[in-house]
Amino acid sequence: MEVMNKTRSVLTLSGRVINEVLSFIVFSVLDLLDFLLCYVYKIVDFFLEAEWKPCYCSSAQEAITSSGKILVSEQGESKIVSLTSSMLQLEEISDTLYTRPSLVSEVSKSTVNELKRLKLEGTMIQSCEKIKKGTVRSTFTINSTIVEMLQGKIGGQQSHPIPRWSDCNCKTCNSWSSSCKETLFIRAEGAKDKVQEDVLFIHGFISSSAFWTETLFPNFSNSAKSMYRLFAMDLLGFGRSPKPNDSLYTLREHLDMIERSVLEPYEVKSFHIVAHSLGCILALALAVKHPGSVKSLTLLAPPYFPVPKGEQATQYVMRRIAPRRVWPLIAFGSSIASWYEHISRTVCLLICKNHRCWDFLTKLITRNRMRTYLIEGFCCHTHNAAWHTLHNIICGTASKIDAYLDEVQNRLKCNVTIYHGRDDELIPVECSFNVKSRISRARVKIFEKKDHITIVVGRQKAFARELERIWKNSKG
């Protein structure tokens, strides 16, 4: 037995070393590839759209102001000032959009930083003393590209054509106008008369409302459908919802669209929320914004990573969800989507622009023996929507989640139930227990041999019954 344990330990260590070495090589090559693709897309954009749109490889200010917005920074935190005809809006964006060091530079810096650690600690102590004495003041800085942005507004310069050449323009992907003029695609089912309560279903990253409507909706009992109105939405930028090019897909924009598309037109006063993955962040933010309206919170695989003291929240979370490792494959895919702006745009060009072709091939190969809603949800988005949503919601809200959870714990009285698959390789099980540590009344249920998707898909009948019990027993 001892020999077997030693052998297993050696094999595990060897596998880890191989994964580390292979990952370093692969992601170093991807760093170079993304750098080259940056110039390729600038040239292609210029020839096809008569301009090249600044990307996040350039300065943050240049990338932001190209969309008619101003970047304002204060002590490392970034916000966006949006000028409209009637108001001045302040958007919060994630610094991970424009601060993503290459793997080689990161390794080099970590070595140098370790050597300078003692010196840096002394410098930080001196800086703190200066701040306490009032010798250092917090200031806002605005880049000079504001002038260019204002000139563009005054001159009436038009942004790139709609849609972009690398995006699809089929009937599903036809909502390209400004985000302030459209509403989300909503699938509403259930009670029409004598509605007792409403339920909001919020899907995860690169998914759609079909994640719920093709699994849970057909399996709710007739009594549940006669009592509850069920609302499944395609989030802004995904599925059949608008995919505006002028949006930064911030938390405020996502919440505003949910309120404008569901809460206001359907006159929703009190509601239950069921959310998956990234949707859990929006669910928490929505619950905190409407504390007296939420009856219950059901969170599936919530991406909550407590940030250690001294770490930068956004960068820490990005490294947790995208560790730049070739194995497991889901971590590799997440790393591609998070770290590489131009490689991920290429993936969207190949998959999303041609989603009708992939849908046809899938149905042809399977002879329609399987529903293709997961593939449809995966393919129906734009790079602009996916890139900004990933960074501004998952990474950008890292410093807010603690406050949201504390609000749910202290101010809200609703029931909180958390589900997680033991085999989830994207969002580890520890995330659900981290939520439990902040919300003591939360009930955590772990399902063996289930992952990020099969926590619902494959057990939809049982899960539908569990949700009905949660709603029935809710006293929120």
Side-chain angles (χ1 to χ4, degrees):
M1 182 64 70
E2 185 177 350
V3 175
M4 290 181 62
N5 290 334
K6 287 184 178 179
T7 303
R8 189 179 296 108
S9 299
V10 170
L11 291 175
T12 301
L13 180 61
S14 300
R16 187 177 303 156
V17 171
I18 293 173
N19 192 19
E20 293 280 346
V21 173
L22 188 59
S23 296
F24 179 82
I25 296 172
V26 170
F27 282 96
S28 296
V29 172
L30 291 177
D31 287 337
L32 177 61
L33 177 60
D34 199 65
F35 175 79
L36 296 175
L37 283 175
C38 174
Y39 292 96
V40 171
Y41 277 116
K42 283 184 183 295
I43 294 171
V44 177
D45 287 344
F46 180 78
F47 279 103
L48 295 181
E49 299 179 355
E51 68 164 358
W52 54 55
K53 182 182 177 183
C55 60
Y56 288 103
C57 299
S58 55
S59 68
Q61 288 87 345
E62 183 184 2
I64 297 299
T65 53
S66 68
S67 62
K69 298 174 174 67
I70 307 171
L71 177 69
V72 180
S73 61
E74 181 185 22
Q75 294 184 341
E77 294 186 0
S78 300
K79 296 180 184 294
I80 293 298
V81 175
S82 246
L83 292 177
T84 67
S85 59
S86 59
M87 68 180 68
L88 185 69
Q89 294 177 339
L90 198 63
E91 300 278 13
E92 295 190 17
I93 65 166
S94 174
D95 68 298
T96 56
L97 282 167
Y98 50 84
T99 305
R100 300 180 313 280
S102 67
L103 193 59
V104 175
S105 65
E106 203 169 34
V107 171
S108 302
K109 286 180 181 179
S110 64
T111 304
V112 174
N113 288 340
E114 186 63 26
L115 295 175
K116 294 182 177 180
R117 182 171 58 85
L118 294 176
K119 184 178 179 180
L120 286 174
E121 286 178 353
T123 303
M124 287 183 66
I125 293 173
Q126 294 176 3
S127 300
C128 290
E129 290 297 324
K130 288 183 180 181
I131 292 174
K132 289 179 181 178
K133 294 178 181 178
T135 57
V136 178
R137 293 184 179 180
S138 170
T139 58
F140 284 104
T141 57
I142 304 178
N143 190 269
S144 60
T145 47
I146 294 174
V147 177
E148 297 177 16
M149 188 278 298
L150 291 175
Q151 288 175 343
K153 280 187 171 293
I154 295 172
Q157 296 178 5
Q158 188 175 0
S159 60
H160 50 74
I162 297 175
R164 302 212 69 190
W165 68 270
S166 55
D167 294 323
C168 180
N169 192 32
C170 69
K171 291 181 179 180
T172 302
C173 308
N174 61 359
S175 298
W176 294 94
S177 57
S178 174
S179 58
C180 65
K181 297 180 181 178
E182 302 287 342
T183 57
L184 302 178
F185 172 81
I186 304 296
R187 176 78 175 271
E189 289 190 12
K192 292 180 174 58
D193 300 320
K194 298 180 180 180
V195 178
Q196 294 188 14
E197 291 173 346
D198 296 308
V199 186
L200 273 59
F201 291 84
I202 307 177
H203 64 76
F205 184 60
I206 309 185
S207 186
S208 71
S209 57
F211 183 77
W212 310 112
T213 60
E214 296 291 336
T215 56
L216 295 179
F217 279 31
N219 288 290
F220 285 123
S221 64
N222 292 331
S223 60
K225 291 181 179 180
S226 66
M227 294 171 58
Y228 305 104
R229 281 192 304 181
L230 311 173
F231 297 102
M233 66 199 77
D234 288 347
L235 292 175
L236 182 66
F238 298 91
R240 300 183 185 182
S241 284
K243 304 170 180 65
N245 282 324
D246 64 347
S247 172
L248 291 171
Y249 297 88
T250 61
L251 181 67
R252 185 194 63 82
E253 289 176 294
H254 278 289
L255 293 183
D256 283 354
M257 287 296 281
I258 293 174
E259 291 173 331
R260 187 191 313 159
S261 306
V262 185
L263 302 189
E264 295 171 5
Y266 290 94
E267 298 181 350
V268 175
K269 302 302 180 184
S270 65
F271 51 91
H272 303 269
I273 303 179
V274 181
H276 177 237
S277 192
L278 173 143
C280 296
I281 299 175
L282 299 178
L284 289 169
L286 191 65
V288 170
K289 193 172 182 180
H290 302 272
S293 301
V294 179
K295 307 287 286 184
S296 72
L297 269 174
T298 304
L299 308 177
L300 284 70
Y304 172 52
F305 300 91
V307 181
K309 188 175 182 180
E311 290 274 2
Q312 188 175 353
T314 53
Q315 296 289 334
Y316 175 80
V317 169
M318 184 169 71
R319 283 168 174 76
R320 289 301 306 270
I321 64 170
R324 284 195 286 195
R325 294 291 180 270
V326 296
W327 189 263
L329 290 178
I330 196 167
F332 179 70
S334 177
S335 299
I336 293 291
S338 302
W339 287 92
Y340 301 108
E341 180 179 2
H342 306 290
I343 295 177
S344 59
R345 183 181 175 184
T346 304
V347 172
C348 283
L349 171 63
L350 295 174
I351 295 178
C352 300
K353 186 171 183 177
N354 303 292
H355 67 88
R356 289 167 293 180
C357 176
W358 297 118
D359 182 56
F360 171 77
L361 290 176
T362 302
K363 291 179 178 178
L364 181 65
I365 294 172
T366 61
R367 297 181 181 178
N368 287 322
R369 287 177 298 187
M370 63 174 283
R371 305 299 292 271
T372 58
Y373 59 90
L374 291 176
I375 296 175
E376 291 170 1
F378 180 79
C379 294
C380 290
H381 64 274
T382 65
H383 173 251
N384 184 55
W387 179 256
H388 286 92
T389 297
L390 188 152
H391 284 278
N392 285 334
I393 304 302
I394 293 184
C395 300
T397 60
S399 61
K400 295 181 176 182
I401 298 299
D402 286 349
Y404 289 161
L405 295 173
D406 290 344
E407 284 284 300
V408 174
Q409 164 72 8
N410 299 324
R411 290 187 58 201
L412 278 69
K413 304 301 180 183
C414 63
N415 292 337
V416 180
T417 309
I418 306 169
Y419 294 95
H420 216 123
R422 179 74 69 183
D423 296 337
D424 194 330
E425 294 181 325
L426 181 62
I427 306 297
V429 174
E430 66 187 71
C431 287
S432 287
F433 290 108
N434 292 335
V435 174
K436 167 70 175 177
S437 68
R438 309 287 303 210
I439 306 176
S440 59
R441 69 179 183 279
R443 182 173 63 93
V444 179
K445 191 171 183 180
I446 307 301
F447 289 89
E448 303 295 333
K449 298 181 181 179
K450 299 297 180 182
D451 57 27
H452 199 65
I453 300 299
T454 56
I455 188 69
V456 175
V457 179
R459 57 175 302 271
Q460 50 263 32
K461 290 184 179 180
F463 187 47
R465 297 295 171 269
E466 291 168 11
L467 287 177
E468 291 179 20
R469 285 194 293 270
I470 290 173
W471 303 336
K472 183 179 180 180
N473 297 329
S474 175
K475 299 178 181 180

